Amino acid sequence: MTDRPVLMFDSGIGGLTVLREARVLMPDRRFVYVADDAGFPYGEWEEEALKRRIVELFGRLIEEHRPEIAVIACNTASTLVMAELRAAYPQTPFVGTVPAIKPAAERTRSGFVSVLATPGTVKRAYTRDLIQSFAAQCHVRLVGSQNLARMAEAHIRGEAMDDAAIRAEIEPCFVEEDGKRTDIVVLACTHYPFLANVFRRLAPWPVDWLDPAEAIARRALSLLNGTSSNAVEHEPDCAIFTSAKPDFPTRRLMQGFGLKPV
C-alpha cells in the first residue's frame, strides 16, 4: 500500500470543485491541494512566462510531496503546459482539465453550444482543435470572461454578488437563431461551477451547464488502477498556497473542505 498523495493543482480555489468529486470516488486517498494564488489569475499571463512558472513550480512540488498522480484542475494551465509537464517529469502521471466540448457536442439537441472560459483558454489553439475534432457540426460560441474567476472566488468566500455583473458575463453564451437556442454551456474553468446556481437563476432560458469535475476525477482514478491506501494511516489532507499568506476567509474555506492550510 502507498501513502503517496494525489496532488490537486489550480491557480486558485477553483480546483476544489474537482477535489470534491475526487474524494467521492477515492475516499481513502490522501490529497495535497496546491493553489498558485501568487500567480492568479493565469489568464493575464504571457504564455511562455506562465509555462516556465508552472514547470518550475512542479519541480519543487514533486520533490517535496512525491505524488502518485498530479491533477491539473485548471483549464488554462492544462491547455497550455501539459506536454511540457509530462516531458519534464515522466515518472509522474498527469491528468489535465480541458473544455468538455466532446460531451457537449454529443448531448446538444439544438446544435448550439457555448464554451464559457477564461480569455486564455478561449484563445488557445488546443480549444479550437477540440471544436474541429468533436463539434464541427455544431454552432460553438467561445465566450472568454475576464472577471468570472475572481467573482467565483469572492462568492465561495461568502462575499456578496452583483447579479447584473454576473449576468453581463454569461449573456454572450445565449444564442438564438432560426428558432434554435443554445442548450448547453460548457463550464471551461473549474472556478465556474461554484457559481452554477447563480447562473441558473440569471440565465434567460434553461440550459445544461456542463461541469467536467466528475469526469476528471474518474480519469484520475482510472490511472491509479483502483489501488487503495486504506491500510495506511496517513496525514490529514492539506492545502498549500504559493503566496504563503492566504487570508482568513480562504483558510476557513479550506478547513471547511477538510484541508489543513500549511
Side-chain angles (χ1 to χ4, degrees):
M1 297 296 181
T2 177
D3 191 35
R4 293 171 62 195
V6 175
L7 193 150
M8 193 77 60
F9 178 87
D10 183 45
S11 60
I13 61 176
L16 293 173
T17 60
V18 181
L19 174 68
R20 182 169 54 195
E21 297 296 334
R23 277 182 164 157
V24 171
L25 296 177
M26 298 176 271
D28 52 357
R29 289 272 167 187
R30 180 165 69 94
F31 290 88
V32 172
Y33 185 90
V34 179
D36 186 16
D37 58 329
F40 180 82
Y42 278 175
E44 296 179 359
W45 279 73
E46 188 274 328
E47 289 188 3
E48 290 305 314
L50 183 56
K51 281 184 184 179
R52 288 193 300 272
R53 176 183 182 82
I54 295 173
V55 171
E56 290 171 6
L57 178 56
F58 261 90
R60 299 193 294 273
L61 293 171
I62 289 170
E63 182 178 2
E64 182 173 354
H65 300 285
R66 297 176 56 252
E68 191 171 4
I69 194 169
V71 179
I72 312 300
C74 173
N75 284 267
T76 300
S78 296
T79 55
L80 178 67
V81 76
M82 288 300 291
E84 287 80 358
L85 286 172
R86 287 172 173 144
Y89 311 110
Q91 302 306 313
T92 301
F94 286 89
V95 174
T97 304
V98 299
I101 290 168
K102 182 180 179 182
E106 292 169 348
R107 294 186 197 182
T108 181
R109 294 185 176 184
S110 69
F112 281 66
V113 173
S114 289
V115 179
L116 183 60
T118 63
T121 299
V122 162
K123 71 182 181 182
R124 209 77 73 221
Y126 191 105
T127 303
R128 298 180 187 277
D129 288 345
L130 286 174
I131 295 171
Q132 186 61 40
S133 298
F134 301 113
Q137 77 283 9
C138 297
H139 180 289
V140 180
R141 170 169 286 192
L142 294 172
V143 179
S145 170
Q146 197 77 253
N147 304 305
L148 275 179
R150 287 193 185 93
M151 290 176 175
E153 295 233 345
H155 175 67
I156 196 63
R157 290 190 185 102
E159 297 177 24
M161 291 287 95
D162 181 345
D163 282 359
I166 295 175
R167 187 181 288 110
E169 296 293 324
I170 67 172
E171 202 168 36
C173 295
F174 292 84
V175 179
E176 187 169 15
E177 289 181 12
D178 301 326
K180 295 181 179 180
R181 289 175 162 182
T182 302
D183 62 355
I184 294 184
V185 178
V186 175
L187 298 176
C189 171
T190 52
H191 283 75
Y192 296 171
F194 283 126
L195 289 169
N197 287 334
V198 180
F199 294 162
R200 291 185 185 99
R201 178 168 57 82
L202 299 177
W205 59 78
V207 297
D208 182 5
W209 301 91
L210 202 55
D211 175 4
E214 182 182 353
I216 299 162
R218 288 192 181 282
R219 176 60 178 160
L221 178 62
S222 73
L223 292 179
L224 291 170
N225 298 317
T227 57
S228 171
S229 60
N230 58 2
V232 178
E233 185 170 338
H234 53 63
E235 299 175 13
D237 294 351
C238 66
I240 297 165
F241 292 82
T242 56
S243 70
K245 50 182 180 182
D247 58 20
F248 176 74
T250 301
R251 293 197 304 272
R252 185 175 58 187
L253 172 66
M254 292 294 148
Q255 290 166 351
F257 271 81
L259 296 166
K260 179 182 178 182
V262 298

